[in-house]
Amino acid sequence: MQLKIMPKKKRLSAGRVPLILFLCQTISALEVPLDPKLLEDLVQPPTITHQSPKDYIIDPRENIVIQCEAKGKPPPSFSWTRNGTHFDIDKDPLVTMKPDSGTLIINIMSEGKAETYEGVYQCTARNERGAAISNNIVIRPSRSPLWTKEKLEPITLQNGQPLVLPCRPPIGLPPAIIFWMDNSFQRLPQSERVSQGLNGDLYFSNVLPEDTREDYICYARFNHTQTIQQKQPISLKVISAKSSRERPPTFLTPEGNASHKEELRGNVLSLECIAEGLPTPLIYWIKEDGTLPTNRTVYRNFQKTLQIIQVSEADSGNYQCIAKNALGAIHHTISVTVKAAPYWIMAPQNLVLSPGEDGTLICRANGNPKPRISWLTNGVPIEIAPDDPSRRIDGDTIIFSNVQERSSAVYQCNASNEYGYLLANAFVNVLAEPPRILTSANTLYQVIANRPAFLDCAFFGSPLPTIEWFKGAKGSALHEDIYVFHENGTLEIPVAQKDNTGTYTCVARNKLGTAKNEVHVEVKDPTRIIEQPEYAVVQRGSTVSFECRVKHDHTLIATVTWLKDNGELPNDERFTVAKDHLVVTDVRDDDGGTYTCVANTTLDDVSASAVLSVVAPTPTPAPIYDVPNPPFDLELTSQLDTSVQLSWTPGDDNNSPITKFIIEYEDAMHEAGLWHHQAEVSGTQTTAQLKLSPYVNYSFRVMAENSIGRSLPSEASEQYQTKAAEPDKNPTAVEGLGSEPDNLVITWKPLNGFESNGPGLQYKVSWRQKDGDDEWTSVVVANVSKYIVSGTPTFVPYLIKVQALNVVGFAPEPAVVMGHSGEDLPMVAPGNVRVNVVNSTLAEVHWDPVPLKSIRGHLQGYRIYYWKAQSSSQRNRRHIEKKILTFQGSKTHGMLPGLEPFSHYTLNVRVVNGKGEGPASPDRAFSTPEGVPSAPSSLKIVNPTLDSLTLEWDPPSHPNGLLTEYTLKYQPINSTHELGPLIDLKIPANKTRWTLKNLNFSTRYKFYFYAQTSVGPGSQITEEAVTTVDEAGILPPDVGAGKAMASRQVDIATQGWFIGLMCAVALLILILLIVCFIRRNKGGKYPVKEKEDAHADPEIQPMKEDDGTFGEYSDAEDHKPLKKGSRTPSDRTVKKEDSDDSLVDYGEGVNGQFNEDGSFIGQYSGKKEKEPAEGNESSEAPSPVNAMNSFV
């Protein structure tokens, strides 16, 4: 069986080494490739590979080299014929043959003449498979003869006459090239009036006086011998006539009205018409019954010569040249006939057949006249060659049937006519060879995506093998619906895509065996210019930057080259080429032009251009700073199960460098529309390797950040879904707590969709008693967060674990946690409750702990309920709200703070677990001792007279015991705010009113008043009043730290005497206000504080908290300046100091808390008010000014 293999053009990727593969054209045959390894063990008839031209003109000054090279296996031997007879080179000492070659070298440099070796030579290359012959090579030496000597008479003409200066060069080999020059070797100027013809003559349509000269010289240049021959100079003299008579055109060449021209096919057809006339005529060309071929027509010699390149038979016909001037026109018709030497229609091709196969050699040629076809075999006419029964001649075809190894031979086809001949060698080689693949194994083809890829599979075999292609290790045969199979074995992928990457196997089969070869394909991303240079208009002297940001396949190396006007950039330091841009500083006018960025890889290249225009400078606006533009062109590469590489292109930084990129992801499968932080990279990176979780449909976006702020997000990348996997973590916050005494509620924080790693998320819940020998009990539940185990014993420790699983598998073994089944209320109350009263406000309670088994739950602590049952002073029983203190843990004692002195209390104790309280212990009663009383509830001064004041008060709201007496202390305050002597007065406890007599009139007094029990004095209350009828005041009670109180004025504005008094003192008020303002601006101070300190009463001191003795007193407002002549607060109240202790300082619950050991948080003591130091309050002497102060 024979297969026909047709060659097909293909584009090879850069860097590929094409294999040498020769293919037959139309016959079902295959030529043996010139693969060195293949040729080592394959026989092949000779083939002529190189020979000298048919018409070989040699230089007689050099050695003659006649080339003849051939290939074959075994290597062929060579022989020559000369003029049809054997040329015995061994008999001529001047002739040698190159080793392993048929090339002849004839040494005529030392002796001999070239003419001796003129003739027709033919080379024969022969081995055991046949003989190939060369063309007939005609050897002729070049000739450059001299001009014959002749005497040239000077020429004299009148102005306007025509003239032809003949050249008639000697006949040389090859023909000479003619040109006209003067004695100075300067070419003579030519024009429509004066020109050189194809024959070398110089034609003048009309002569002019300036044509006069004595050195019109015709030169003949013989290129082969590199010689120039010179004709004798011709002298021309033009006589000026008074007037030249004008005339119509006449042809100087060709003569007559018609002529004939014959040319061979493929040559250049040259037609010439030169006319004379006055004025100078112009020449025009037309073709009768046709048009001149546009692409092949050339006008030369000022349109006097028409040339048609590559002339063919279709160019035959009549051509007219028309000469025209103002007086008329003439035409000349040239009949053109195109003949043709033989040319191939189908030259015979080498034929490789296996024994028993059929084949044909076809030799078809054409020409004008039609050539004659003759066949030779091994250089001998086939008519006289040995007979071969396997061949049959049918005109231009030899038909082979059932060939055998003896049928191998070299056949020659000769096509000839009167204009030449063609000779072609074609061998028939009968071989029996199993398939061989000649393409190198594991060849790597790198191609650009969306472009065609060609995978070679050069092969050889006889019979001709069939070719199949496979992809992958176990792939099926490829089909023509996607791929193109070329008959030379090449596989074409018309549009390569990423999924075409892989290994391809070429398999060649014939009846003698099978061969296969693997090649590899890598499809690369195309190189793109994603940020192209843009048209720029810049000012002279400024700087311009052209961006050229290139994106290419990460496995290729891209180089960027800049061009200016399609040439190299100027060699100037002002031009700086960086990675992504070209910068031109100090721009000049000549810098304007087109700048092109060319990006190259080993596989492709792209370019982009921009024009730079340079203008005069104008004021430069200030740059605008803003957040970056969003990144763009996001791309995912290196896509693996647990990672992917994300790359992007930064947007414009808007004049503030990008400091970092923030990458976010969206899980379209579980949380569509919600973006999460993924990673951050520096502002210099444009790629990031991202770690991925299983079973997530990822999309990514990127934001850029500079010193101004953060850009908008980029467009989302393409989606990339990772494969499912078993969970890599278990639920957290696993707990076991019973909600009822007979159950165990197991809870956990479930995994979210992102953490599930796959579909079908479930949980395996396992439990067993901690102290038992039971096996684990397990249950698989859906994606919930709790499971209830029923029928458990009360408050038993359990071991618990919760494991995640999905359709792929289980998460790692989970951690074991301990929980408890449900609690029940405690069964036993604490016993042996004891109370120790520490002081009037504090008691300590002790109790015995309950047995642990009776608690039936987690011990939370002990809780004390206590309440005030009866006041010892009033003896009337009344119910009050119970108070609660909780003591955490297993403590067996605690402190009860904040008790009221001189009171009866009752308490009980209960144990507490997670379920609630147990039964209460029996009630235990206790009483608190007396304490110091609180301050009297109020103090009023009523009925002031000139020498007496009456005091009224209410008893303390908290007597904290039995009152024994009241103590009243008072002292006068003079007009200079000095304090007088302190008077101490004891008042019985049953009194609530007291009158002081024999006081000084119009005098301010300060009063200090407090109650006493057997324990000691309580907090005091203070008040001020005056004895005069124009000023009497009652200050609100002060239960604080002894701050001074301002006097309260009575409303006397309606009394008549006051109106008169006010009129009298108006001027004094104004003067005093001015004086006060001046003293205040000068920093003056009233010496009231110093005077009060000097008269302080040592008896009036606050009691120390520890033992009731008097201690030091510190006034918080000693250093505050006086305001409006009074040191009492503006709201006329006396603030009471806050107590140092309260219930919240001791325990938990409603009223306070204890530390774990039951001790106090802070210190404990009864509440007590501190007395101010005597004289700490300021007083004003009665005066009209003081009276006015109440209205200011």
Side-chain angles (χ1 to χ4, degrees):
M1 176 181 178
Q2 304 170 28
L3 296 179
K4 181 171 67 176
I5 296 183
M6 299 292 294
K8 224 173 192 182
K9 290 185 179 180
K10 60 183 178 180
R11 179 178 180 182
L12 296 176
S13 301
R16 285 170 47 192
V17 180
L19 297 170
I20 305 173
L21 182 62
F22 296 88
L23 304 172
C24 295
Q25 189 169 3
T26 57
I27 309 302
S28 55
L30 176 70
E31 180 174 336
V32 178
L34 290 178
D35 186 270
K37 295 182 179 179
L38 190 62
L39 290 178
E40 289 179 359
D41 52 2
L42 283 183
V43 293
Q44 180 177 347
T47 300
I48 300 294
T49 59
H50 191 66
Q51 57 184 315
S52 294
K54 294 179 181 179
D55 191 5
Y56 187 18
I57 299 174
I58 63 173
D59 188 340
R61 300 168 299 177
E62 297 178 352
N63 290 336
I64 302 172
V65 178
I66 310 176
Q67 293 182 330
C68 179
E69 304 289 343
K71 65 181 177 69
K73 181 69 177 182
S77 61
F78 296 89
S79 62
W80 287 87
T81 63
R82 177 183 175 190
N83 296 327
T85 62
H86 177 67
F87 182 36
D88 191 350
I89 61 175
D90 295 331
K91 293 182 179 180
D92 191 334
L94 301 182
V95 181
T96 59
M97 185 182 295
K98 291 176 64 175
D100 302 322
S101 169
T103 298
L104 297 181
I105 300 176
I106 304 174
N107 186 4
I108 61 173
M109 296 290 291
S110 57
E111 57 179 312
K113 294 182 180 180
E115 290 80 2
T116 306
Y117 293 95
E118 286 190 60
V120 179
Y121 292 79
Q122 189 173 42
C123 171
T124 301
R126 186 184 308 274
N127 69 7
E128 64 186 34
R129 288 273 169 161
I133 61 175
S134 70
N135 292 322
N136 287 327
I137 303 171
V138 179
I139 302 295
R140 294 184 295 169
S142 65
R143 298 180 179 87
S144 53
L146 300 175
W147 252 289
T148 58
K149 292 185 178 180
E150 58 181 331
K151 185 177 181 181
L152 300 177
E153 298 293 336
I155 300 175
T156 301
L157 292 175
Q158 287 188 349
N159 181 27
Q161 290 184 303
L163 173 64
V164 178
L165 297 181
C167 180
R168 293 191 289 272
I171 298 174
L173 187 66
I177 297 174
I178 307 301
F179 50 92
W180 289 79
M181 294 193 299
D182 58 17
N183 281 329
S184 300
F185 296 99
Q186 299 296 317
R187 285 186 178 270
L188 296 177
Q190 298 190 23
S191 63
E192 293 176 345
R193 185 179 63 85
V194 182
S195 60
Q196 175 183 314
L198 294 176
N199 62 356
D201 293 347
L202 189 64
Y203 293 87
F204 293 79
S205 295
N206 50 77
V207 295
L208 297 176
E210 55 263 30
D211 296 329
T212 299
R213 64 190 311 146
E214 296 180 353
D215 55 353
Y216 283 94
I217 304 173
C218 181
Y219 289 87
R221 184 176 67 202
F222 297 93
N223 285 342
H224 218 79
T225 58
Q226 298 180 349
T227 59
I228 296 178
Q229 304 292 349
Q230 174 183 336
K231 184 181 175 71
Q232 292 292 325
I234 301 175
S235 175
L236 172 63
K237 183 178 181 181
V238 179
I239 301 174
S240 298
K242 292 184 179 180
S243 61
S244 298
R245 186 175 181 180
E246 295 183 345
R247 59 186 181 277
T250 302
F251 284 111
L252 297 176
T253 184
E255 298 177 351
N257 296 326
S259 60
H260 182 265
K261 175 74 173 181
E262 189 175 277
E263 190 57 78
L264 289 180
R265 180 181 184 271
N267 290 348
V268 176
L269 171 66
S270 295
L271 305 178
E272 181 182 57
C273 284
I274 301 177
E276 61 90 10
L278 189 67
T280 302
L282 300 178
I283 304 297
Y284 304 92
W285 292 90
I286 60 172
K287 182 182 181 183
E288 297 178 2
D289 302 327
T291 59
L292 296 173
T294 304
N295 297 331
R296 296 184 292 115
T297 301
V298 179
Y299 296 98
R300 301 190 183 279
N301 196 19
F302 307 99
Q303 216 163 337
K304 299 172 187 177
T305 302
L306 169 67
Q307 289 186 336
I308 298 178
I309 302 170
Q310 288 290 325
V311 69
S312 66
E313 291 88 338
D315 295 319
S316 298
N318 294 328
Y319 292 81
Q320 276 193 7
C321 64
I322 302 169
K324 184 178 182 180
N325 68 4
L327 298 180
I330 59 171
H331 68 271
H332 180 92
T333 301
I334 304 175
S335 176
V336 175
T337 301
V338 178
K339 299 291 185 177
Y343 56 91
W344 291 118
I345 296 176
M346 182 182 293
Q349 301 294 317
N350 294 333
L351 190 62
V352 178
L353 301 173
S354 61
E357 285 189 327
D358 302 335
T360 56
L361 287 180
I362 299 176
C363 178
R364 288 181 184 156
N366 201 358
N368 187 12
K370 187 170 183 63
R372 185 179 63 86
I373 302 296
S374 61
W375 288 95
L376 297 88
T377 176
N378 296 327
V380 177
I382 201 167
E383 294 81 7
I384 61 175
D387 189 32
D388 184 352
S390 66
R391 73 172 180 241
R392 178 172 59 87
I393 300 174
D394 184 7
D396 58 5
T397 303
I398 300 179
I399 302 171
F400 297 92
S401 303
N402 191 25
V403 297
Q404 302 301 319
E405 188 172 353
R406 66 178 180 273
S407 302
S408 297
V410 182
Y411 290 85
Q412 291 82 33
C413 172
N414 187 298
S416 60
N417 66 12
E418 60 188 275
Y419 297 105
Y421 74 93
L422 293 174
L423 178 68
N425 290 275
F427 65 69
V428 176
N429 196 14
V430 181
L431 296 172
E433 292 292 332
R436 306 187 188 193
I437 295 179
L438 309 180
T439 300
S440 299
N442 295 312
T443 300
L444 175 63
Y445 295 90
Q446 294 181 333
V447 297
I448 296 297
N450 300 319
R451 295 188 182 181
F454 296 89
L455 313 185
D456 287 338
C457 183
F459 63 92
F460 176 77
S462 182
L464 191 67
T466 59
I467 301 297
E468 281 187 301
W469 282 92
F470 300 86
K471 182 181 180 184
K474 299 181 179 179
S476 58
L478 303 181
H479 301 290
E480 291 187 356
D481 53 348
I482 300 177
Y483 303 91
V484 177
F485 299 92
H486 294 257
E487 293 182 347
N488 63 357
T490 296
L491 171 67
E492 178 184 351
I493 305 174
V495 182
Q497 300 295 332
K498 286 285 188 178
D499 56 2
N500 294 126
T501 298
T503 299
Y504 292 77
T505 304
C506 167
V507 179
R509 295 185 179 91
N510 68 9
K511 63 184 180 181
L512 300 178
T514 301
K516 64 181 179 178
N517 184 47
E518 288 185 350
V519 296
H520 308 282
V521 176
E522 290 182 359
V523 181
K524 307 293 186 179
D525 293 324
T527 303
R528 293 181 293 138
I529 298 178
I530 56 178
E531 191 167 336
Q532 299 185 358
E534 297 181 351
Y535 171 76
V537 179
V538 300
Q539 302 165 6
R540 258 189 322 271
S542 62
T543 298
V544 65
S545 177
F546 289 106
E547 298 294 327
C548 184
R549 198 179 300 276
V550 177
K551 186 170 186 181
H552 60 90
D553 192 281
H554 69 282
T555 62
L556 301 177
I557 299 176
T559 58
V560 177
T561 305
W562 286 90
L563 305 176
K564 181 180 184 295
D565 298 329
N566 293 324
E568 294 184 357
L569 290 177
N571 186 14
D572 191 329
E573 61 183 8
R574 297 181 302 108
F575 290 78
T576 303
V577 177
K579 177 183 178 183
D580 296 326
H581 57 274
L582 165 68
V583 178
V584 184
T585 59
D586 190 19
V587 175
R588 303 171 185 168
D589 289 336
D590 57 358
D591 293 333
T594 301
Y595 290 82
T596 303
C597 162
V598 182
N600 293 278
T601 66
T602 55
L603 299 181
D604 64 346
D605 61 84
V606 290
S607 63
S609 300
V611 175
L612 172 64
S613 298
V614 183
V615 298
T618 56
T620 304
I624 299 176
Y625 299 92
D626 201 351
V627 298
N629 290 348
F632 58 95
D633 201 17
L634 273 65
E635 183 176 12
L636 298 178
T637 56
S638 302
Q639 297 176 351
L640 303 176
D641 290 343
T642 59
S643 68
V644 70
Q645 179 169 290
L646 174 67
S647 60
W648 61 91
T649 301
D652 195 311
D653 62 9
N654 291 324
N655 301 307
S656 179
I658 296 174
T659 56
K660 66 179 178 180
F661 292 99
I662 299 95
I663 303 169
E664 295 182 336
Y665 73 90
E666 176 198 28
D667 181 4
M669 184 183 302
H670 303 107
E671 296 178 313
L674 187 61
W675 291 90
H676 302 274
H677 181 273
Q678 174 77 21
E680 291 184 4
V681 297
S682 70
T684 59
Q685 290 184 231
T686 57
T687 61
Q689 194 73 23
L690 306 178
K691 293 184 178 180
L692 306 180
S693 295
Y695 197 58
V696 177
N697 194 4
Y698 282 98
S699 293
F700 298 96
R701 68 183 187 184
V702 184
M703 293 173 285
E705 187 173 295
N706 61 10
S707 60
I708 308 301
R710 183 174 294 184
S711 73
L712 294 174
S714 67
E715 294 291 333
S717 70
E718 60 179 311
Q719 291 187 345
Y720 177 58
Q721 182 169 342
T722 54
K723 295 180 180 178
E726 63 272 7
D728 52 16
K729 63 186 297 186
N730 286 303
T732 57
V734 177
E735 290 184 346
L737 296 173
S739 60
E740 298 295 337
D742 60 349
N743 73 7
L744 172 65
V745 179
I746 302 174
T747 61
W748 61 89
K749 181 181 179 182
L751 303 181
N752 57 37
F754 183 82
E755 297 169 329
S756 65
N757 289 2
L761 178 63
Q762 293 178 304
Y763 300 100
K764 179 182 178 182
V765 184
S766 305
W767 67 91
R768 70 178 179 88
Q769 288 191 23
K770 178 174 180 285
D771 299 326
D773 297 329
D774 298 342
E775 295 295 329
W776 287 94
T777 302
S778 300
V779 62
V780 176
V781 299
N783 187 12
V784 295
S785 61
K786 74 175 182 179
Y787 180 77
I788 300 176
V789 181
S790 302
T792 63
T794 302
F795 196 65
V796 173
Y798 277 85
L799 297 180
I800 302 166
K801 56 184 180 180
V802 180
Q803 185 178 24
L805 69 150
N806 58 22
V807 296
V808 179
F810 286 84
E813 184 67 22
V816 177
V817 299
M818 189 174 76
H820 286 81
S821 56
E823 300 180 65
D824 207 345
L825 294 177
M827 298 185 296
V828 178
N832 194 20
V833 178
R834 305 174 301 282
V835 181
N836 177 29
V837 178
V838 178
N839 58 31
S840 60
T841 61
L842 180 66
E844 183 177 12
V845 183
H846 291 262
W847 60 89
D848 292 341
V850 299
L852 290 178
K853 290 186 177 180
S854 68
I855 298 175
R856 299 199 297 178
H858 294 285
L859 175 62
Q860 303 291 327
Y862 290 88
R863 187 168 294 162
I864 299 176
Y865 285 76
Y866 66 100
W867 59 95
K868 184 179 178 183
Q870 184 179 7
S871 173
S872 300
S873 60
Q874 296 180 357
R875 303 299 180 188
N876 58 331
R877 193 172 184 85
R878 57 181 180 178
H879 175 75
I880 64 170
E881 182 181 357
K882 291 183 179 181
K883 298 180 181 180
I884 303 171
L885 278 180
T886 299
F887 299 89
Q888 294 181 347
S890 59
K891 296 303 177 183
T892 58
H893 68 277
M895 307 296 283
L896 297 183
L899 302 177
E900 294 184 14
F902 202 56
S903 300
H904 290 284
Y905 283 91
T906 302
L907 63 80
N908 59 47
V909 185
R910 312 180 191 196
V911 65
V912 182
N913 66 9
K915 187 73 172 178
E917 299 176 351
S921 67
D923 289 350
R924 181 71 62 184
F926 66 95
S927 299
T928 56
E930 283 189 283
V932 296
S934 63
S937 298
S938 65
L939 175 62
K940 301 178 182 179
I941 301 174
V942 297
N943 301 326
T945 64
L946 291 178
D947 61 353
S948 67
L949 291 171
T950 299
L951 283 70
E952 292 182 353
W953 64 88
D954 291 325
S957 58
H958 299 284
N960 295 334
L962 297 175
L963 296 181
T964 57
E965 62 182 6
Y966 291 101
T967 299
L968 173 64
K969 299 179 181 181
Y970 62 96
Q971 60 188 147
I973 304 174
N974 63 17
S975 60
T976 59
H977 306 288
E978 294 178 349
L979 297 175
L982 185 65
I983 302 171
D984 191 342
L985 180 64
K986 302 296 183 179
I987 302 174
N990 58 349
K991 299 292 184 180
T992 58
R993 180 183 178 92
W994 195 267
T995 300
L996 296 177
K997 299 181 179 179
N998 300 320
L999 301 178
N1000 297 328
F1001 69 94
S1002 297
T1003 301
R1004 177 177 293 276
Y1005 286 89
K1006 185 169 185 178
F1007 301 94
Y1008 310 92
F1009 189 68
Y1010 54 87
Q1012 284 186 259
T1013 64
S1014 60
V1015 177
S1019 301
Q1020 70 178 7
I1021 186 172
T1022 63
E1023 184 60 85
E1024 290 184 11
V1026 294
T1027 55
T1028 180
V1029 295
D1030 64 346
E1031 181 181 0
I1034 300 175
L1035 300 178
D1038 183 358
V1039 295
K1043 297 181 181 179
M1045 299 295 295
S1047 300
R1048 191 177 69 177
Q1049 310 286 334
V1050 297
D1051 187 6
I1052 58 175
T1054 57
Q1055 301 183 26
W1057 65 268
F1058 178 77
I1059 296 174
L1061 179 61
M1062 290 304 298
C1063 293
V1065 301
L1067 182 60
L1068 291 176
I1069 294 174
L1070 178 61
I1071 294 173
L1072 288 174
L1073 289 174
I1074 295 173
V1075 172
C1076 291
F1077 178 79
I1078 294 173
R1079 292 190 63 188
R1080 186 179 185 87
N1081 288 344
K1082 291 182 178 181
K1085 298 181 180 178
Y1086 295 100
V1088 176
K1089 183 68 171 72
E1090 292 80 357
K1091 294 180 180 180
E1092 290 178 345
D1093 293 342
H1095 295 83
D1097 187 355
E1099 297 181 9
I1100 306 177
Q1101 299 291 347
M1103 289 170 47
K1104 293 186 179 179
E1105 296 179 356
D1106 296 335
D1107 54 10
T1109 60
F1110 291 106
E1112 292 185 356
Y1113 173 79
S1114 176
D1115 186 359
E1117 294 189 0
D1118 279 350
H1119 304 291
K1120 295 184 179 179
L1122 293 173
K1123 295 184 180 179
K1124 296 185 182 294
S1126 174
R1127 293 176 57 85
T1128 58
S1130 60
D1131 60 358
R1132 304 183 182 273
T1133 62
V1134 179
K1135 297 182 180 178
K1136 178 190 288 188
E1137 285 192 351
D1138 294 336
S1139 174
D1140 288 338
D1141 44 68
S1142 67
L1143 284 177
V1144 296
D1145 294 329
Y1146 296 95
E1148 292 181 347
V1150 178
N1151 300 295
Q1153 70 178 31
F1154 281 87
N1155 290 332
E1156 291 185 359
D1157 61 356
S1159 62
F1160 288 114
I1161 302 175
Q1163 57 181 334
Y1164 54 89
S1165 65
K1167 294 186 180 180
K1168 183 185 288 187
E1169 294 188 4
K1170 295 182 180 180
E1171 292 181 353
E1174 284 115 342
N1176 200 32
E1177 267 59 4
S1178 63
S1179 300
E1180 295 182 3
S1183 68
V1185 176
N1186 292 335
M1188 285 298 296
N1189 283 340
S1190 63
F1191 295 96
V1192 177

